[in-house]
Amino acid sequence: MERVNKILNHDLYKLYRKKNETAEENRHFCRHDMGHFLDVARLAMIFNLQLGLSIAEETIYAAALLHDIGRWKQYEDGTPHEKASAALAPEILSDCGFMEEESGQILSAILNHRNAAVGQEHTLDGILYRADKMSRSCFCCEAEKECDWKGDKKNLVLRY
């Protein structure tokens, strides 16, 4: 997990996390913070193991830690956050020692983490998509009734 820890300590990563925090300080609904990133990573690891995919742990954690780092851009200028995050991630990945092929796989998963078409794939894209959606604790959220997620999309029971 050496490269993942480099991401956590990377100056740009810390800056983008802080920008997310500032942009969401008055957000009543789910936030895009370290708790969310780690929940996504750990669920994706469970899916990886259950499916026997053998995707490297560092690859999964890198994708999960970086998938929403551009959320602040969506608030700032309307850029879809999957596109903003994929644009911000390459420099961090390169600086932290991820090779071009690994970075390509991670960037694809970041770009597709809101794309339902990949939802059932047995790929990094698919497990990141599912982990992102299943990471939300709607069953105990005070804002659940006000949330604009459709009822069948909400996590009203614990599965993992």
Side-chain angles (χ1 to χ4, degrees), residues 137-142 144 155:
S137 301
C138 306
F139 56 86
C140 65
C141 179
E142 293 179 13
E144 184 266 322
N155 298 310

Side-chain angles (χ1 to χ4, degrees), residues 29-156:
F29 302 102
C30 299
R31 294 190 178 173
H32 301 83
D33 58 13
M34 187 55 71
H36 172 61
F37 300 156
L38 291 175
D39 286 345
V40 171
R42 291 170 178 152
L43 283 167
M45 280 300 301
I46 290 169
F47 302 151
N48 182 48
L49 293 169
Q50 285 180 334
L51 296 169
L53 299 179
S54 301
I55 299 170
E57 183 177 26
E58 283 192 318
T59 302
I60 291 171
Y61 269 81
L65 291 174
L66 295 167
H67 81 282
D68 281 338
I69 59 163
R71 183 67 184 199
W72 59 274
K73 291 280 291 169
Q74 188 165 328
Y75 296 117
E76 187 176 279
D77 63 18
T79 302
H81 74 269
E82 65 277 16
K83 291 180 181 177
S85 298
L88 297 171
E91 182 176 355
I92 296 169
L93 289 167
S94 176
D95 288 352
C96 295
F98 287 85
M99 306 280 59
E100 192 173 320
E101 184 178 328
E102 295 170 300
S103 294
Q105 188 180 18
I106 292 164
L107 295 174
S108 175
I110 291 169
L111 279 169
N112 281 303
H113 84 271
R114 297 179 70 204
N115 179 2
V118 303
Q120 296 307 312
E121 289 182 7
H122 291 190
T123 61
L124 180 60
D125 291 26
I127 65 172
L128 188 70
Y129 173 86
R130 289 192 303 282
D132 184 49
K133 304 309 167 260
M134 293 183 81
S135 70
R136 303 307 188 169
S137 301
C138 306
F139 56 86
C140 65
C141 179
E142 293 179 13
E144 184 266 322
K145 299 287 185 221
E146 303 164 50
C147 180
D148 63 0
W149 270 23
K150 303 263 187 279
D152 62 337
K153 212 172 157 186
K154 291 181 182 179
N155 298 310
L156 300 174

